[in-house]
Amino acid sequence: MSATSQVAAGALSAHDRQILTAVNAGAASLSFVGSSFIVLCYVLFKELRKFSFKLVFYLAISDMLCSFFTMVGDPSKGFFCYAQGYSTHFFCVASFLWTTTIAFTLHRTVVRHKTDVEDLEAIFHLYVWGTSLVMTVIRSFGNNHGHLGAWCSTQTSTGKASVVHFITFYLPLWGAILYNGFTYFQVIRMLNNATRMAVGMSDRGYHTEARPDMKVLNRWGYYPLILIGSWAFATINRIHDFIEPGHKIFWLSVLDVGTASLMGLFNSIAYGLNSSVRRAMYERLDLFWPDKLRRWLPYSSKYRNQQQQQHQESELVALKSQDQQ
């Protein structure tokens, strides 16, 4: 299984393992709900089916399946134990690999000014699913599968198994973190420079119109932090297990399991719950919501205010043109 469930049973009491099982199931359930919501939005709202959000859809599918196999526990001994462990590893690796395709698409569009990203979809699939499969197959070498409370996992206390797990999981993970950080840094820096140049060459009104774009830039800066926040404690815990395999730190194991299992929820909020998704949701609610309850919809009133403001501005423009005549 992934790092979310690799806690050595021999160094923890039964009570500690029950707590870890509850934390794992609860966090993975939140991630499953969040990623399933993004998948549902993509299926229901046709206006969201653009290429950029299609990549988010693939990311949500990977998160959803990773969370599902993480929270189902130990289904049985034998074949199902292996299937659960390998499935979780496969889809968790695919999850953070899909984030690199999103970063690549943004960099290629904004920095390199290329418009052929949609033609690369097949290559993206080959890269993500192929790399995940290779990492999962290599992971099977030298691993000894066992049962930990409600989990089916791989024991990585031996030196060979620890090295294999670092190569097949943490090496691509931190490679994705470094790539995403470098890519978003280049994108944000270029757009900041372009914004400053445009503001200097235009009137003050441009600066006001550019403010919403700056909010998007700030949001992009948090994307690489999602993987770091999700897997930092897991990485520290694996390094500690490698140095002292017979000694487990319970609080570190709780942080390991909890933050890693929340990766799907973090991704669904950051990548999926954007302004386009919120707009599509509120527009549907505004159509089917009873008239007496529409005023309780925050976006409904905001949307109507924007429409009224645009109508008033158009009337002012018409009056000004008549005055000039």
Side-chain angles (χ1 to χ4, degrees):
M1 197 174 175
S2 68
T4 60
S5 61
Q6 293 176 2
V7 181
L12 296 174
S13 64
H15 178 68
D16 292 342
R17 294 197 299 272
Q18 290 177 355
I19 294 177
L20 291 174
T21 301
V23 172
N24 176 74
S29 298
L30 292 175
S31 293
F32 181 80
V33 172
S35 54
S36 299
F37 173 76
I38 301 303
V39 172
L40 186 63
C41 287
Y42 181 84
V43 173
L44 294 179
F45 304 143
K46 294 182 179 180
E47 62 268 28
L48 297 178
R49 298 175 189 174
K50 300 177 182 179
F51 180 74
S52 58
F53 198 79
K54 185 183 292 187
L55 297 180
V56 177
F57 168 69
Y58 296 141
L59 170 64
I61 289 179
S62 299
D63 284 330
M64 182 179 66
L65 294 175
C66 175
S67 301
F68 173 77
F69 287 108
T70 298
M71 69 182 180
V72 293
D74 181 7
S76 67
K77 297 181 180 179
F79 172 77
F80 292 102
C81 176
Y82 283 89
Q84 183 199 3
Y86 287 132
S87 298
T88 307
H89 187 274
F90 176 86
F91 288 111
C92 285
V93 172
S95 175
F96 56 74
L97 290 181
W98 276 118
T99 66
T100 62
T101 65
I102 296 174
F104 175 84
T105 300
L106 187 62
H107 181 272
R108 188 172 181 84
T109 304
V110 175
V111 179
R112 301 187 61 185
H113 305 289
K114 300 291 185 178
T115 59
D116 59 345
V117 287
E118 295 189 23
D119 299 332
L120 303 176
E121 182 177 355
I123 298 178
F124 288 163
H125 282 285
L126 181 62
Y127 154 69
V128 173
W129 305 122
T131 303
S132 301
L133 180 61
V134 171
M135 294 297 104
T136 304
V137 172
I138 296 176
R139 173 184 178 270
S140 64
F141 299 149
N143 286 338
N144 178 25
H145 283 259
H147 300 266
L148 299 183
W151 296 323
C152 178
S153 66
T154 303
Q155 304 295 334
T156 58
S157 58
T158 62
K160 181 180 179 181
S162 298
V163 172
V164 170
H165 185 66
F166 269 97
I167 293 175
T168 59
F169 192 87
Y170 287 97
L171 185 62
L173 168 65
W174 285 96
I177 291 174
L178 294 176
Y179 175 79
N180 289 351
F182 178 75
T183 300
Y184 283 114
F185 172 77
Q186 285 192 322
V187 171
I188 293 174
R189 183 180 63 178
M190 179 174 181
L191 291 180
N192 278 331
N193 293 335
T195 301
R196 284 195 295 267
M197 291 177 60
V199 170
M201 297 174 61
S202 61
D203 55 10
R204 296 180 181 179
Y206 182 88
H207 182 67
T208 303
E209 296 175 355
R211 287 178 183 176
D213 295 335
M214 298 308 297
K215 293 181 179 179
V216 175
L217 294 183
N218 294 332
R219 187 177 183 180
W220 288 343
Y222 291 109
Y223 286 171
L225 298 179
I226 295 175
L227 289 178
I228 297 176
S230 298
W231 296 103
F233 291 110
T235 305
I236 296 172
N237 202 20
R238 297 290 81 73
I239 295 175
H240 174 267
D241 290 346
F242 181 78
I243 298 175
E244 298 185 26
H247 176 66
K248 293 296 300 184
I249 302 177
F250 174 68
W251 64 266
L252 183 59
S253 299
V254 172
L255 293 175
D256 169 4
V257 171
T259 55
S261 297
L262 286 173
M263 179 181 64
L265 178 64
F266 297 152
N267 285 336
S268 62
I269 294 175
Y271 289 94
L273 200 59
N274 52 36
S275 59
S276 300
V277 175
R278 294 196 301 269
R279 185 182 303 109
M281 290 173 52
Y282 285 125
E283 286 178 354
R284 297 307 190 283
L285 290 175
D286 196 47
L287 291 175
F288 298 102
W289 205 258
D291 293 336
K292 295 181 179 180
L293 300 177
R294 284 186 180 182
R295 60 190 182 91
W296 297 104
L297 286 175
Y299 185 84
S300 179
S301 59
K302 181 180 179 182
Y303 182 71
R304 288 195 297 269
N305 291 335
Q306 290 178 350
Q307 287 183 328
Q308 292 176 0
Q309 183 179 1
Q310 293 175 356
H311 180 68
Q312 292 174 358
E313 290 177 353
S314 62
E315 290 180 348
L316 290 175
V317 171
L319 290 174
K320 289 181 180 179
S321 61
Q322 291 177 0
D323 293 339
Q324 290 176 358
Q325 293 176 357

